[in-house]
Amino acid sequence: MRKFNSLPPYLISFVFLLAMLSPLVYPQGILARLLDRLDLVFYDLRYVQQNLSLGNSQQLGSPVVLIKANPGQLAIENEIDAIVDASYQAGAKLVVVLPSIADDGLSPQDWLAQRFPNLPPGTLDLLAPYLSMVEVQEESGLKPIKGYGFFFDRKQQAQQQLPQPFSSVNQNFNQLPIASGIFGLQGQNQSAGFYNVIPDLDGVIRRAHLFVNYQGEVYPSLGLIAAANYLGATPQLIDESFGISLQFDQKRLNTGVASDLMIDFSIPYNRISWPRLGMIDENIKRIFRGKLVVIEPPGAPGQSLSVPFGGRLSAGDIQAMLIGDLLLNQHHNYQPVWEPIIGWMLLISVAGLLMLLLPRFGPLWQLLTVSGLLLWFWTVSGWLWSSLGILLNWSPLLVIVIGLMLINLGWGFLFERRQLVQLKDTFGQYVPEALVSSMEGPSSTEFQISQNREMTVLFADIQGFTKISEMLSPRELQQLLNRFFTPMTEVIFNHGGTVDKYVGDMIMAFWGAPTEDPMHAENAVKAALEMIEKAASLSESFARENLPVIRLGIGVNSGYMSVGDMGSRYRRAYTVLGDNVNLASRLESLTRNYSVELIVGENTQQLLPSEWLCRRLDCVRVRGRQKPEFIYQPISQNPIGEEVGRLVKFHDAQETYFQGRFNAASRMFAILESEQPLVGLYRRRLDWLERHPIDSEWDGVFQEVENWDG
């Protein structure tokens, strides 16, 4: 679980949620339109998921037959009459006829001039009367259901009389405010319906209105009136508190928010080419028996309507699918009237839950939570659509859920970047810049957690600093320490160390954290030796400036120790703690006793590669520890033979001393004057032991508190 200040993401998420709720107040706003466009995309994806295809043109089991004219064909009134009559004679139960002039507001002459620009002069006046839809005089006495269209522009058009209204309701639903006229009817006719289908925002046809409110009256669509007549049913509108429903063929047909149904483009129907001279052969007659025949004459409106998946269909195709949907489907696809209210309530609940949970999760859990939620909603909405025909808006939930996740991920990223900046600020003065950069990434916060890790720690200070401080003024002392700390810190950084703290003249550093260093012991020893060289060079500069000469004392020890961000809520520091840290400090204080500048512990000596030559200084029991400790002085890396020979002789004499053979040890040390002043230390001890015989068993361990010169 991430731990960061979650108040800002809560506030940002709340503001984002309020912005996403704006479509409830401004349904015609830009955001509402963008969400609607996104819903259309998901609607098309749903069809792709279910492998639906555009209407199959040859399905003998389908109750609908479409007689479709080829582009550019011309027909006269008598030919349309003949096809209507032949369809009934072939056994068609009902015939539906679309008008033959395109729904573009043009007069017949203008329409012909645009469609056939190369006609001889005078032909337009001759053909125009035959292209307008007139009463069909069927010899069979059966009348077709006629289609008519509403005009949706302001061009000059002849207002024609509409059929009797379908019904009257109190609600002002699905108003057509810009319809300026109708086309396709001459005289009043009850068996007629409008063929118009209104495209969605992207210009694609996906839905068909079953009825519309035009100038205060309700009129049925061609598909509805045709399906009702075919079934011998009388549809009735039911005025409900949340919209309009339709009682149709002994079942209630829910029509959703806009009194429309989503067109089911998988509905099969039989498509027949326009018969020449109205002749229908025996093969065609076999599929007409008991069917509902839709006639789309030449020049019928809507010859190229955009439908999902980039396809194009005519108004006749759309009406055939709509009629088949009403006759065949048990569950019609629609958007319920309650969907916006329930949908937004569900959305607000989900958003509120995510606002509380996401700030507490890391990126992976946020992604899993959001993905699981979206998958659940996609599955449930898909089941509702395929099983019950209920269409739920998908885009508001998708945008809000993903938006909340991005807000929290973005804030988490900014917070972690801020932590990284703080990390660099914290460590920038203590570790090399390259080391700080290596700490970036998923483990950048691990430094805050205390760990038990094998490391090496170094303590270094100026021997005799108290006397030096008495010789200088505070300002001079400050300048001297600054000149001292700068090259010492640089050496530590160059060898991958971390400066823990400066205390007076003391520097504490460690290796192996915050990043692991398998060579921590060797790197610490190399840094210590280079610090001694730097101090010597610095002393030469100080001497030329009449400043005190400085000499270092450095203690180095390795082992397991606790490292991490420690302290109180007022002040914290990245530091190391443990017994091995204390031992390094004690070793630093022993450098004065042995007149050396560097002492390392036994653990450090054992971790050094074999090519290192180390002098065993002593076996001591330091303050605070009962276990004796061998201490060493690193001499050089890759030593020459002469150095090794002298060191072997010194170790032999020292081993004799540890065994308690003091006389032999004294003789052996006497010939090792080259190892001064360390040899002098052992000779003074031997003289003291000669004057103060030891009653108890000798273990060779030097007790730090003893006065060997006393």
Side-chain angles (χ1 to χ4, degrees):
M1 181 180 295
R2 281 192 304 183
K3 297 180 179 179
F4 64 88
N5 185 2
S6 58
L7 182 58
Y10 285 149
L11 294 177
I12 298 173
S13 299
F14 182 72
V15 173
F16 171 72
L17 181 59
L18 289 180
M20 290 302 301
L21 295 179
S22 63
L24 294 176
V25 182
Y26 302 104
Q28 300 301 322
I30 296 177
L31 181 58
R33 295 175 67 86
L34 290 176
L35 293 177
D36 289 341
R37 290 292 295 268
L38 191 58
D39 272 325
L40 299 178
V41 173
F42 287 122
Y43 180 82
D44 294 345
L45 290 177
R46 184 72 73 184
Y47 261 103
V48 173
Q49 181 192 30
Q50 296 190 359
N51 297 319
L52 299 180
S53 60
L54 298 180
N56 192 332
S57 61
Q58 295 296 329
Q59 291 291 329
L60 296 180
S62 172
V64 182
V65 177
L66 172 63
I67 300 178
K68 187 175 179 65
N70 296 321
Q73 276 186 310
L74 286 176
I76 61 174
E77 169 191 341
N78 292 335
E79 186 173 0
I80 298 175
D81 295 344
I83 294 175
V84 171
D85 186 61
S87 298
Y88 278 120
Q89 290 181 1
K93 186 175 180 180
L94 184 65
V95 177
V96 176
V97 181
L98 271 69
S100 60
I101 296 295
D103 182 14
D104 55 9
L106 300 176
S107 65
Q109 290 88 345
D110 293 338
W111 182 82
L112 284 171
Q114 287 188 6
R115 184 92 181 228
F116 307 102
N118 299 321
L119 290 177
T123 306
L124 296 177
D125 296 333
L126 178 63
L127 293 179
Y130 294 98
L131 289 172
S132 60
M133 195 64 183
V134 297
E135 292 287 342
V136 179
Q137 305 295 329
E138 300 88 356
E139 295 181 3
S140 62
L142 297 174
K143 295 182 179 181
I145 294 178
K146 300 177 182 179
Y148 64 90
F150 291 101
F151 289 131
F152 289 89
D153 56 43
R154 298 289 183 182
K155 297 179 181 180
Q156 292 183 354
Q157 299 167 31
Q159 293 283 348
Q160 299 189 35
Q161 188 175 6
L162 283 167
Q164 290 294 327
F166 175 56
S167 179
S168 295
V169 293
N170 297 326
Q171 300 186 36
N172 184 23
F173 70 95
N174 202 25
Q175 182 72 36
L176 299 178
I178 62 172
S180 59
I182 60 171
F183 175 78
L185 289 178
Q186 288 187 352
Q188 199 173 73
N189 193 319
Q190 181 68 31
S191 297
F194 65 88
Y195 63 83
N196 301 85
V197 284
I198 302 175
D200 289 317
L201 295 174
D202 57 355
V204 177
I205 303 296
R206 295 182 181 85
R207 66 192 76 224
H209 292 289
L210 295 181
F211 42 86
V212 296
N213 180 2
Y214 177 64
Q215 296 182 352
E217 301 291 348
V218 181
Y219 295 92
S221 69
L222 182 61
L224 175 61
I225 200 69
N229 277 268
Y230 183 83
L231 296 173
T234 302
Q236 295 180 349
L237 291 182
I238 301 175
D239 187 1
E240 298 180 321
S241 57
F242 289 101
I244 305 297
S245 63
L246 183 69
Q247 192 71 28
F248 181 77
D249 191 30
Q250 299 181 349
K251 63 181 179 180
R252 181 167 295 186
L253 180 63
N254 296 311
T255 59
V257 177
S259 68
D260 57 18
L261 295 181
M262 305 304 294
I263 298 171
D264 190 346
F265 292 99
S266 66
I267 294 296
Y269 59 96
N270 300 283
R271 185 181 299 167
I272 305 298
S273 296
W274 186 265
R276 189 167 65 88
L277 297 178
M279 299 302 295
I280 299 178
D281 58 28
E282 293 299 324
N283 291 329
I284 295 178
K285 288 181 180 181
R286 284 201 301 269
I287 66 172
F288 274 37
R289 190 170 295 110
K291 301 297 177 63
L292 191 155
V293 178
V294 179
I295 298 177
E296 186 179 48
Q303 291 295 318
S304 183
L305 302 176
S306 296
V307 294
F309 328 121
R312 289 188 174 273
L313 295 176
S314 67
D317 293 307
I318 299 297
Q319 293 301 322
M321 290 181 183
L322 178 60
I323 295 170
D325 190 359
L326 294 173
L327 296 178
L328 297 175
N329 271 2
Q330 294 295 322
H331 300 292
H332 307 279
N333 298 330
Y334 73 104
Q335 183 182 3
V337 175
W338 49 260
E339 191 275 338
I341 299 176
I342 301 299
W344 282 104
M345 290 177 60
L346 174 64
L347 187 146
I348 293 174
S349 301
V350 171
L353 181 62
L354 292 179
M355 287 173 60
L356 294 175
L357 293 180
L358 291 183
R360 303 174 180 271
F361 292 163
L364 178 60
W365 278 106
Q366 287 190 32
L367 183 61
L368 292 176
T369 301
V370 169
S371 300
L373 179 63
L374 294 179
L375 179 61
W376 171 82
F377 187 80
W378 179 264
T379 303
V380 171
S381 61
W383 177 82
L384 290 174
W385 187 41
S386 60
S387 300
L388 303 178
I390 296 176
L391 178 63
L392 299 181
N393 283 337
W394 167 260
S395 62
L397 181 70
L398 175 73
V399 173
I400 288 181
V401 168
I402 293 182
L404 291 176
M405 181 186 70
L406 293 178
I407 288 173
N408 284 275
L409 288 177
W411 177 257
F413 173 78
L414 293 177
F415 183 82
E416 290 174 359
R417 293 300 300 178
R418 185 174 65 180
Q419 277 192 323
L420 183 58
V421 171
Q422 293 175 347
L423 174 67
K424 288 186 175 181
D425 291 341
T426 302
F427 285 95
Q429 299 178 359
Y430 302 100
V431 296
E433 181 179 354
L435 187 59
V436 177
S437 300
S438 69
M439 295 162 60
E440 298 184 22
S443 61
S444 62
T445 58
E446 289 184 0
F447 76 95
Q448 297 176 328
I449 304 173
S450 180
Q451 300 178 3
N452 192 34
R453 184 184 295 183
E454 186 182 47
M455 302 167 54
T456 297
V457 64
L458 174 150
F459 286 85
D461 71 355
I462 300 175
Q463 296 183 11
F465 179 73
T466 303
K467 184 180 295 186
I468 293 175
S469 63
E470 294 173 351
M471 300 170 55
L472 302 175
S473 68
R475 181 173 180 82
E476 290 173 334
L477 183 62
Q478 179 191 19
Q479 293 176 346
L480 183 143
L481 288 177
N482 289 341
R483 293 177 63 182
F484 166 73
F485 284 140
T486 299
M488 298 299 109
T489 302
E490 182 180 0
V491 170
I492 293 172
F493 282 2
N494 290 339
H495 290 277
T498 300
V499 174
D500 186 299
K501 60 176 69 71
Y502 304 105
V503 180
D505 64 318
M506 187 270 291
I507 303 176
M508 176 182 174
F510 52 82
W511 280 256
T515 57
E516 294 187 5
D517 180 6
M519 304 296 295
H520 54 85
E522 184 177 18
N523 288 332
V525 170
K526 287 181 177 179
L529 293 175
E530 187 173 344
M531 290 170 67
I532 294 172
E533 294 177 3
K534 288 283 185 180
S537 176
L538 196 60
S539 293
E540 295 177 1
S541 300
F542 287 172
R544 291 192 295 267
E545 301 174 22
N546 295 321
L547 292 174
V549 176
I550 61 174
R551 175 182 171 85
L552 286 183
I554 301 176
V556 177
N557 188 48
S558 302
Y560 282 91
M561 55 195 74
S562 295
V563 59
D565 186 31
M566 305 176 190
S568 68
R569 64 188 181 96
Y570 299 104
R571 183 175 179 84
R572 304 185 68 83
Y574 188 72
T575 186
V576 290
L577 299 173
D579 183 59
N580 286 307
V581 178
N582 299 332
L583 178 57
S585 177
R586 299 287 186 268
L587 296 180
E588 182 275 322
S589 63
L590 288 179
T591 57
R592 298 158 183 79
N593 298 345
Y594 293 91
S595 300
V596 296
E597 293 182 278
L598 172 61
I599 296 179
V600 303
E602 186 175 357
N603 291 339
T604 303
Q605 186 270 336
Q606 291 177 354
L607 290 174
L608 291 175
S610 58
E611 63 267 18
W612 277 91
L613 181 66
C614 294
R615 177 186 289 116
R616 184 176 59 191
L617 297 177
D618 205 350
C619 182
V620 300
R621 184 179 292 112
V622 300
R623 289 192 302 269
R625 289 172 64 97
Q626 294 298 319
K627 180 182 177 181
E629 181 85 14
F630 283 104
I631 58 176
Y632 296 84
Q633 178 194 14
I635 301 298
S636 63
Q637 191 177 16
N638 299 316
I640 60 176
E642 184 179 351
E643 292 178 325
V644 175
R646 289 199 305 267
L647 189 61
V648 169
K649 293 180 181 179
F650 175 79
H651 284 167
D652 289 343
Q654 190 182 59
E655 187 65 31
T656 302
Y657 164 77
F658 289 152
Q659 294 172 0
R661 297 186 291 132
F662 300 137
N663 292 331
S666 180
R667 291 191 299 271
M668 297 175 70
F669 278 122
I671 61 175
L672 295 175
E673 296 298 328
S674 62
E675 295 296 322
Q676 294 289 355
L678 189 58
V679 169
L681 172 66
Y682 275 97
R683 295 188 67 179
R684 288 195 301 273
R685 289 185 184 178
L686 290 169
D687 291 342
W688 188 92
L689 289 170
E690 185 178 353
R691 296 192 305 270
H692 303 86
I694 299 176
D695 296 332
S696 60
E697 184 178 353
W698 168 254
D699 59 4
V701 178
F702 166 64
Q703 192 70 29
E704 181 184 353
V705 297
E706 295 180 12
N707 182 7
W708 292 95
D709 295 326

